[in-house]
Amino acid sequence: MNRCSAQATAKGIELTCLLSYEVSAPMRGDPSHLRRILTSMLEKTIARMEQGEIIIRNMLINQTPRQATFRFSVTVLSHALTHKGTAWPQSSEPDLGIAKHLVTLSNGDMGQETQPEIGTTYWFSLSFDKLPPKALSAPPPRSTLNGVRALIFGDLHTLFTDSFQKWGMPGHHSKDADETMRMLLATA
């Protein structure tokens, strides 16, 4: 992902990652396949953009005692789409073909959704087997975010609101730099 980050920065594209921590059990999967799929989607998307914002997200969509299914997505905000019409890589391109093949081999699914005023989301879903609790040592407990206040600047508030609510965080939104400063000074 460092390569993608460097490409995005060079073009003035802002990358945001939202990660789900809803499953605490260790998982069995192929991290190199997951990395290849995400990198392929992200590199092709960045190549078609001139500037703007991309949000990379994973989200738990189903969980059983033995398995968890996640949806991984790359969202291009609507104002970032260029005159080229779409940021989505063509399925005939080799890298995306490999990504689609890896998703299919893993019994996953792949697609895209467009929401007016928000943008286009390119996604894939994969299921992972949960490992027995003693298969790996547990990570150290992390502190809770319950009650921690968050201030979101700009138009990304719709993407963060759900996560903040799940974590018990009161989230506030500001529309511009002046309002952000007023809100920060009011709480100081």
Side-chain angles (χ1 to χ4, degrees):
M1 290 294 177
N2 288 341
R3 186 173 67 205
C4 293
S5 179
Q7 290 172 350
T9 300
K11 292 180 92 174
I13 297 170
E14 181 180 336
L15 292 179
T16 303
C17 291
L18 303 173
L19 302 176
S20 171
Y21 296 99
E22 297 174 283
V23 178
S24 59
M27 303 282 173
R28 177 177 302 146
D30 187 339
S32 64
H33 283 174
L34 180 58
R35 188 178 309 110
R36 177 79 186 262
I37 297 164
L38 276 171
T39 301
S40 175
M41 289 173 64
L42 196 52
E43 283 179 340
K44 296 298 179 186
T45 302
I46 291 169
R48 285 171 173 70
M49 293 177 63
E50 295 172 5
Q51 62 180 355
E53 298 173 73
I54 297 175
I55 295 144
I56 305 154
R57 173 183 237 171
N58 81 319
M59 188 170 66
L60 177 69
I61 57 173
N62 190 31
Q63 181 173 202
T64 67
R66 294 185 175 181
Q67 196 173 61
T69 302
F70 289 91
R71 178 177 166 162
F72 300 87
S73 63
V74 174
T75 300
V76 180
L77 298 184
S78 60
H79 65 273
L81 293 175
T82 67
H83 64 276
K84 298 171 188 173
T86 181
W88 180 240
Q90 298 299 312
S91 60
S92 61
E93 292 189 25
D95 284 349
L96 189 59
I98 291 169
K100 177 70 173 167
H101 180 69
L102 291 172
V103 168
T104 303
L105 281 176
S106 302
N107 295 319
D109 197 15
M110 192 175 211
Q112 97 179 50
E113 299 169 351
T114 300
Q115 294 178 324
E117 306 294 322
I118 293 178
T120 301
T121 299
Y122 313 106
W123 60 268
F124 63 96
S125 60
L126 294 175
S127 296
F128 300 93
D129 292 331
K130 294 181 181 179
L131 295 174
K134 294 186 179 185
L136 295 174
S137 61
R142 59 188 178 104
S143 62
T144 181
L145 294 174
N146 191 32
V148 174
R149 294 180 300 170
L151 176 58
I152 307 163
F153 172 73
D155 56 0
L156 295 177
H157 68 94
T158 57
L159 297 168
F160 288 102
T161 302
D162 289 342
S163 294
F164 286 167
Q165 287 175 349
K166 288 178 186 175
W167 298 332
M169 297 174 65
H172 302 282
H173 168 245
S174 65
K175 296 176 185 169
D176 58 38
D178 290 335
E179 184 179 7
T180 300
M181 288 307 296
R182 281 193 300 275
M183 292 174 82
L184 287 171
L185 292 171
T187 61

